[in-house]
Amino acid sequence: CSALTKINNRRGDHASPFNAITTDIEKVCVLDRLKSLFESAPVPVQERARVVRVWHGCSSERNADSILATGFASLCKTDDGFFGNGMYVTPQAAYAGYYAGLQPGEHFAICGWAAIGLAYPVSRSVDYTEDDPFKSTLFGVPLKPGSDAHFAAINVSDEYKFQAGPYNNRTGRIDADYDEIVVAQESHLLPRFKVVFEWNNPSTPMISRSCN
């Protein structure tokens, strides 16, 4: 709740959920994709605060329990992130499941909410170079100044290999399968549930039970 209130106050009187204005068509489409994910806040906040339901795949039940007990601060690592340094979550349960492991047996994920104020949209036209189409220029660097989150629409095809998807001129949208959200402040993430699941197949996790 405190994170949502701080975000609301920072945004002042702007009606848009994003203060930064961009005319880059790819970034506009990525922001539109993020806006479509907004939900009602799980706690009473003013309307300018925005939240997204998110998932995080855990390598073990111990890690999942740690996040529930102490928050997402336990995700802070020293290794580099593909879309910037920070804590990574996704709005898609199946995508989080990949990071929990694909081997047979039970796996664990955390479901909760991310509070997003000023999001930087990752795009291929600006944040990639021809020299390396599989690593964005955001790799291993802090979040963009003035932003409290990075948002990337992910294409998992062999051509893009889990990198930001391209703009499709025919559809006027980003070709993407999943999304990644990067935040630097643990207070912007609220873990709520531990979910235990088993894979039916690599693209559709079978949820077996959930725990508060």
Side-chain angles (χ1 to χ4, degrees), residues 11 20 32 41 57 65 152 162 202:
R11 293 227 298 273
D32 286 342
D65 289 339
F162 289 83

Side-chain angles (χ1 to χ4, degrees), residues 73-137:
S74 58
L75 294 183
C76 294
K77 301 177 181 179
T78 57
D79 57 333
D80 297 327
F82 275 98
F83 303 110
N85 289 337
M87 291 159 279
Y88 280 68
V89 291
T90 176
Q92 291 86 23
Y95 190 51
Y98 280 106
Y99 290 93
L102 298 177
Q103 66 272 23
E106 289 188 337
H107 299 283
F108 306 91
I110 293 295
C111 179
W113 287 273
I116 299 177
L118 307 176
Y120 176 81
V122 180
S123 64
R124 297 201 67 83
S125 61
V126 174
D127 302 305
Y128 285 79
T129 66
E130 294 182 357
D131 294 336
D132 192 346
F134 302 120
K135 181 186 290 186
S136 79
T137 57

Side-chain angles (χ1 to χ4, degrees), residues 63-75 186 191:
N63 289 345
D65 289 339
S66 176
I67 292 173
L68 277 181
T70 64
F72 278 89
S74 58
L75 294 183
E186 182 268 341

